[in-house]
Amino acid sequence: MNSFEDNYRHKGLRQKMVNQLRSEGFDDERVLAALNEVPRHIFLDSSFVEYAYSDQPFSIGSGQTISQPSTVAMQSKLLKVDSGMKVLEIGTGSGYQACVLAAMGAKVFTIERQRNLYFRTKEILEALPFRVKAFLGDGYEGLPNYSPFDRVIITAGAPCIPPKLVEQLKPEGIMVIPMDDAKGGQTMVRITKKTDGSLEREEFGSFKFVPMLTGTGND
Ligand code: SAH
């Protein structure tokens, strides 16, 4: 069960989480302000409030996880989001990352491939005041009808750079994508699409994500 209450205790825990990230050296204040705004506990079952604001990933059912706050912070920073930008997220999961980007002023379009998770999260997103439009589908296909996007963020471990997502990215657009490494984890990669269509690639360390799968399902 999800409770939509956001009381002083929740706000205090959230502020503590933000202070912790800052003290560990995370320096993007716009991202920190968004993390302070989005009630992370609402995306977890209400019996897990204690865990909601600690820096760890957490199971959200259907074998999926809500990314840990430091990972959400990192991906949000690398994405260089400005207010009013159109952002496509692959892997809605809990909906938390999408709301953080929306709290930074982005218009977020997010795709989830798991039916159960999509319906569960859609309900939560509709109850919250963030500008997020959720879709059930295969992220490899993107959302051609809503393209082009200023930014694309992938929140599952990707075996390749999905060509259709590159097509749907504007010139000078940025994609942040955790790419499978040879050791069962991922390297965080930032792709910038140049005006001539070429791709610039930068790398930002190792992470661990659930896999980006094809098609839709309930597995
Ligand atoms: N952004 C999420 C974390 C998601 S975990 C959050 O903030 O909570 C990764 C999610 O990607 C899972 O829910 C998984 O089902 C989904 N996923 C995996 N492959 C996908 C694909 N091809 N298209 C869309 N979603 C996908």
Side-chain angles (χ1 to χ4, degrees), residues 40 43 60 62 64-67 72 75 89-98 110-114 117 137-141 155-157 209-215 219:
R40 183 173 158 92
F43 300 86
I60 49 172
S62 310
Q64 301 303 323
T65 52
I66 177 171
S67 301
V72 172
Q75 286 201 282
E89 180 195 36
I90 309 303
T92 312
S94 68
Y96 177 66
Q97 170 76 76
T110 182
I111 310 177
E112 173 56 53
R113 64 174 290 282
Q114 286 219 29
L117 203 48
D138 180 356
Y140 283 98
E141 300 297 321
T155 65
F209 284 83
V210 300
M212 183 171 175
L213 303 171
T214 49
D219 44 24

Side-chain angles (χ1 to χ4, degrees), residues 5-21 32 35-42 44 46-55 69 96:
E5 188 190 6
D6 186 27
N7 61 31
Y8 281 102
R9 179 161 162 264
H10 299 132
K11 289 184 179 30
L13 287 168
R14 197 145 72 239
Q15 182 72 60
K16 231 173 103 183
M17 174 187 85
V18 165
N19 291 342
Q20 176 73 26
L21 289 170
L32 290 175
L35 292 175
N36 211 9
E37 194 178 326
V38 181
R40 183 173 158 92
H41 65 279
I42 285 173
L44 306 181
S46 55
S47 40
F48 299 119
V49 168
E50 293 300 329
Y51 296 97
Y53 295 107
S54 61
D55 192 19
Y96 177 66

